Amino acid sequence: MLQTATLTRNKDFLMLYQRSKAIVSPYVVIYVRRNRLNYRRLGITAGRKVGGAVQRNRAKRVIRAAYREAEEMLPGGIDMVIVARAAICSLRSTELAQYLKGQGLRRIKKCLEEQGGKSR
């Protein structure tokens, strides 16, 4: 995660949940919004529906590994929160990385274009 900072404040997470577009897949929900910075910011969450502590930690590890593989392809200057869903427990990080590099990337760019048209 060379060009990515970590989202840590609850205020940032809540703003993304309320004011951003959601990209839904069977394994994750991705909230994306432009920021006014030159770098990306990433937050990862896994709720109780994912499973116990072991499953939640594994889900976050899988998401981090997949993000590292796809990081260079993602546009800069965005805030992103990736929320794990229960089905991620049976997924490998390479499969999630393929999704992020392919369909996920297309959907992220589409959401950012829609947001750019509304706010500018």
Side-chain angles (χ1 to χ4, degrees), residues 41-109:
R41 297 191 305 171
L42 174 69
I44 299 172
T45 61
R48 281 192 178 172
K49 290 182 180 179
V50 173
V54 173
Q55 287 85 11
R56 290 195 304 269
N57 287 330
R58 182 182 184 284
K60 290 187 274 188
R61 271 197 319 271
V62 166
I63 291 170
R64 271 194 299 273
Y67 180 81
R68 271 190 221 109
E69 284 187 42
E71 179 180 18
E72 305 239 342
M73 301 177 86
L74 295 170
I78 61 172
D79 288 344
M80 183 182 327
V81 172
I82 303 177
V83 180
R85 298 180 91 181
I88 200 167
C89 293
S90 63
L91 192 69
R92 295 178 154 269
S93 64
T94 53
E95 295 170 20
L96 185 60
Q98 288 175 350
Y99 170 77
L100 284 176
K101 290 178 185 177
Q103 184 180 6
L105 181 63
R106 285 192 301 273
R107 293 175 75 184
I108 288 170
K109 287 182 178 179

Side-chain angles (χ1 to χ4, degrees), residues 23-43:
I23 300 166
V24 180
S25 80
Y27 306 108
V28 292
V29 178
I30 304 171
Y31 294 92
V32 179
R33 186 167 192 226
R34 288 199 183 278
N35 63 26
R36 295 174 190 244
L37 306 170
N38 293 331
Y39 54 90
R40 297 175 208 94
R41 297 191 305 171
L42 174 69

